[in-house]
Amino acid sequence: CGLPDFMAGGTRFQAMTDIAGGGVGGGGGLCDLANTQEESAVQFYSEVLALSFFAGGRTKMLSVPIAILGTRRYMSDISGETDNGVCGYIKQQNWLNEDIGRSLVSAPVGDRDVPIAASSFVAIESICIACYAAKKCSLDELMNNRCDVQRRHLDMDVSLLYGAYESSLYNPSISGAFRRVVKRIGTGPWGAGDWRGDSQQSFLAFWIAASLISDVSLDYYAYSRFCENAGNQCLVLGGEACKACLRRTYPWQGTGGKLVSEWSCSEPGIHDVVNKFKGRPAGEVHNALYQVSGPSRSVFASVLDHKEDRRLAPWRLSAPPPPGGDALRRSWDNAFKRCRAAR
């Protein structure tokens, strides 16, 4: 699509989605790079790292969800694609980002307008599917999207994403600034990273959430070798494109070490799903995904075969609602009535 990697920043008004756990920085404790996105990203987005020094609580790390407006990448270099299993690389010399964004936007904060860099960092918790799937599914089944547990948390995913990006759920003193700064959402395999979600399921959940938010577009990035759960995102492509992607993930002969199998590259792919639902009510995508079949078929195949009954599937949370859950629920209901999928 011609846009810079969302992990590297550089696209005006695009928020960088951080695949977080219970806090920003994860097991790395804000100290080093790692083989997960969220542990490494704070090393490159220095304003996020600086804010962490003011975090309280037992872990002394920023809790999630959190949106930090005006953040920019100060360090070089980081992208989602990796060839050594680590997210990013900090150079020994010339380690500053010399192409740092300089675009500013005037945004309302309280009763006045202030200049804010046209970029942001949004950390959102993803569900630990591997934790719920323990003793139910093998690593092979998880990495090849063949575990039923991966498909039974739709509304929790959508609520986490919608709650983080819907500006009306923020304090009125800064909600206008959020709308002014965040006009695009950049993400890779949120929900299908190191905690082993289904990449097809997580894409559709993010697509639904983004479609419910006014004046925001979704920039979805697919990688052959994302720095966590490498190869799994190839499965969103389907068919021959998926197989070609996996050959880039595993550029060696034989089957050894190839955790995602080409046998999992079934049709259809992401473009087939987008073409079917683009411009349709977001509720249709939700209904189809809410009633997705078991792992004998891919999520995309099940969704495309769904027969719409035009009755909105009920709100279903697999965990207690997040703080402000009633407001989120009302906002969700109103959004479903007015929004269409796939911008």
Side-chain angles (χ1 to χ4, degrees):
C1 61
L3 296 178
D5 190 300
F6 85 102
M7 295 265 288
T11 298
R12 295 177 71 238
F13 301 109
Q14 185 188 75
M16 199 285 284
T17 303
D18 182 51
I19 309 172
V24 179
L30 307 173
C31 291
D32 203 353
L33 302 182
N35 62 347
T36 59
Q37 182 218 30
E38 61 110 359
E39 293 183 16
S40 297
V42 291
Q43 306 299 326
F44 297 87
Y45 287 81
S46 303
E47 289 144 330
V48 180
L49 184 62
L51 189 59
S52 299
F53 287 103
F54 300 92
R58 181 178 58 84
T59 63
K60 306 298 183 185
M61 293 196 294
L62 297 173
S63 58
V64 292
I66 187 168
I68 307 174
L69 304 181
T71 54
R72 297 175 295 172
R73 179 175 61 84
Y74 282 80
M75 306 288 285
S76 292
D77 291 304
I78 187 170
S79 72
E81 199 79 17
T82 182
D83 57 7
N84 62 1
V86 176
C87 284
Y89 170 73
I90 296 178
K91 300 175 181 177
Q92 295 297 313
Q93 297 179 330
N94 301 321
W95 38 263
L96 289 177
N97 174 18
E98 296 183 358
D99 193 31
I100 192 168
R102 292 175 172 79
S103 177
L104 300 176
V105 60
S106 180
V109 177
D111 58 358
R112 61 177 180 167
D113 281 5
V114 297
I116 301 177
S119 55
S120 54
F121 181 105
V122 181
I124 310 171
E125 177 185 3
S126 63
I127 297 171
C128 183
I129 301 303
C131 302
Y132 288 106
K135 299 182 180 180
K136 297 178 182 178
C137 297
S138 66
L139 177 62
D140 175 75
E141 289 170 323
L142 288 168
M143 292 199 67
N144 286 276
N145 294 348
R146 295 193 194 122
C147 177
D148 192 68
V149 177
Q150 294 172 307
R151 305 179 178 204
R152 307 305 166 194
H153 49 90
L154 169 61
D155 284 346
M156 192 61 191
D157 278 351
V158 176
S159 69
L160 289 168
L161 296 164
Y162 182 77
Y165 276 114
E166 171 51 50
S167 62
S168 67
L169 297 175
Y170 286 84
N171 188 289
S173 63
I174 58 93
S175 59
F178 192 98
R179 286 191 297 273
R180 197 74 60 84
V181 174
V182 179
K183 298 184 181 296
R184 313 178 70 121
I185 299 172
T187 189
W190 182 94
D194 204 44
W195 283 352
R196 313 299 181 193
D198 182 309
S199 48
Q200 296 186 4
Q201 169 94 9
S202 64
F203 162 71
L204 288 171
F206 217 132
W207 195 30
I208 291 169
S211 296
L212 298 178
I213 302 169
S214 299
D215 302 320
V216 170
S217 61
L218 176 63
D219 298 327
Y220 181 78
Y221 293 72
Y223 300 89
S224 60
R225 194 170 182 82
F226 192 69
C227 53
E228 48 184 288
N229 205 14
N232 177 263
Q233 211 179 4
C234 292
L235 301 182
V236 304
L237 301 177
E240 291 304 315
C242 171
K243 293 176 182 179
C245 179
L246 286 175
R247 287 193 287 272
R248 292 191 295 272
T249 306
Y250 309 120
W252 57 83
Q253 297 296 316
T255 59
K258 297 182 178 181
L259 299 177
V260 183
S261 170
E262 289 191 17
W263 289 103
S264 300
C265 290
S266 60
E267 298 284 1
I270 188 172
H271 298 293
D272 301 299
V273 175
V274 169
N275 288 337
K276 175 174 179 177
F277 288 105
K278 186 174 183 180
R280 302 296 303 163
E284 288 189 16
V285 188
H286 177 263
N287 278 356
L289 194 53
Y290 180 87
Q291 300 174 54
V292 71
S293 63
S296 61
R297 306 181 69 215
S298 72
V299 167
F300 283 172
S302 179
V303 164
L304 285 179
D305 284 347
H306 174 73
K307 305 300 182 184
E308 177 59 35
D309 62 10
R310 301 195 179 281
R311 291 179 296 176
L312 188 65
W315 168 280
R316 179 180 64 174
L317 282 175
S318 55
D326 288 342
L328 187 151
R329 194 179 304 248
R330 288 193 298 272
S331 181
W332 160 293
D333 290 340
N334 291 333
F336 259 121
K337 292 174 184 176
R338 61 176 169 77
C339 291
R340 294 183 175 271
R343 292 188 300 278

